[in-house]
Amino acid sequence: MNDEPGSFWRLLLFSYATNVVVLAVYILIAHAFDGFVYSACRWDCGWYLGIASQGYDTALRSGPTDNGQANWAFFPAFPLLLHAIEALTGWPGQRCGVLLNNALLPLMAALIARYAWRRAAVDQCLTVLIAAMFPYSLYFRVPYTETLYGTLLIGLLLLLRANRLGWAAVCAACFTATRPTGAPILALIGIAKCWQQGVPFFPLSKHARRSMATIGRCVVLGAAGGIGLLAYMTYLHVHVGDAWAFKHIEAAWGRHGGNPVGNILQGLRANDLTIRAFLPGREMSQRYLALCCIAGCVLVAWGILTRLWLEAGIVLTTMLLATSTCLWSSARYLFANPAMLVLVAAAAQRLSAQWRAVFLCFCAMIQVLFVVLWYQGARFLM
């Protein structure tokens, strides 16, 4: 498929058909547990549903198992959207979350495919298949913020490539209200846009007018994008008394600012990588998470070598932010990410047809294993 008229709609149809098949597998496996809607809701899902139905906490929780936690660490865009769907349908939050993400995922996959085609001439159907079958695509199907965040990120990149600044600004405002990493990633995208236009090299030359126009567009994008983050910080300041409560509350989960490289090296030294670490009821393996980060670094290096600098930069920035406090959830932040899927699809494009088929089958088998373990509550998938 190329950019001919109507091709995107065929791609979108292919994406929905593919993801319906994968979703059917999730539902089939869930029959052995408590059904898909209930079994899909694990770990952070409860926090998002609580915000959607009851709003944000006004003080720290003091229950025997709360450890002084509060739901301020979870940004508002996803729970607000859940609340709106609940109000419109009257359905419970779990069903709304599953509906929202499984409706958005095929659209996100099609947008990633279109972006990868324009950016690196990657076969669009291959990208859709990878987005559907990649093991960490699990997080796009459960009531987590990954799908909304990913859709807004890839939509923002496509809008900027098309010079649709107005819609890009709206997308950026929603993007920074979705997750704490939104604002730093938006800043990186703005810097990359300026760099692409040659702003660092010709600030006072005959290209000065073009450079100033580019800088102006980036300033507008950054100002509009900051609206989402600023709105949430204002809310926290008024209702909690701490505009940075979303950052400060991380300590309740054992997250403290530190050196991401040091955290990864410490994880590699942990002697805890056993089969038992992947079973339900067991603590997650720090070495496994560190190895995931190493794999991410390899893909980042490959992206840089193949001139996919922006995508590699987004993945690297995400990894550094995720591992700056601890390694928990770093694999999810790293691999359930549109920029990572672009790198994986571009790498898979270099394989022969037979090896691409083997790769896709391997991804599908690992994802099925992840689904079973997710339903059972395996902690390494937190």
Side-chain angles (χ1 to χ4, degrees), residues 162-236:
N163 290 317
R164 304 292 295 273
L165 183 62
W167 284 110
V170 173
C171 189
C174 298
F175 179 62
T176 59
T178 306
R179 187 184 285 175
T181 55
I185 295 299
L186 179 63
L188 175 66
I189 292 171
I191 293 170
K193 187 71 173 177
C194 289
W195 190 279
Q196 181 185 13
Q197 298 296 323
V199 171
F201 302 106
F202 308 108
L204 299 175
S205 69
K206 62 181 180 180
H207 301 280
R209 181 175 296 179
R210 186 187 69 182
S211 298
M212 292 306 296
T214 300
I215 292 174
R217 287 194 292 269
C218 291
V219 169
V220 170
L221 180 67
I227 292 174
L229 176 61
L230 182 61
Y232 184 46
M233 293 178 67
T234 302
Y235 173 88
L236 291 175

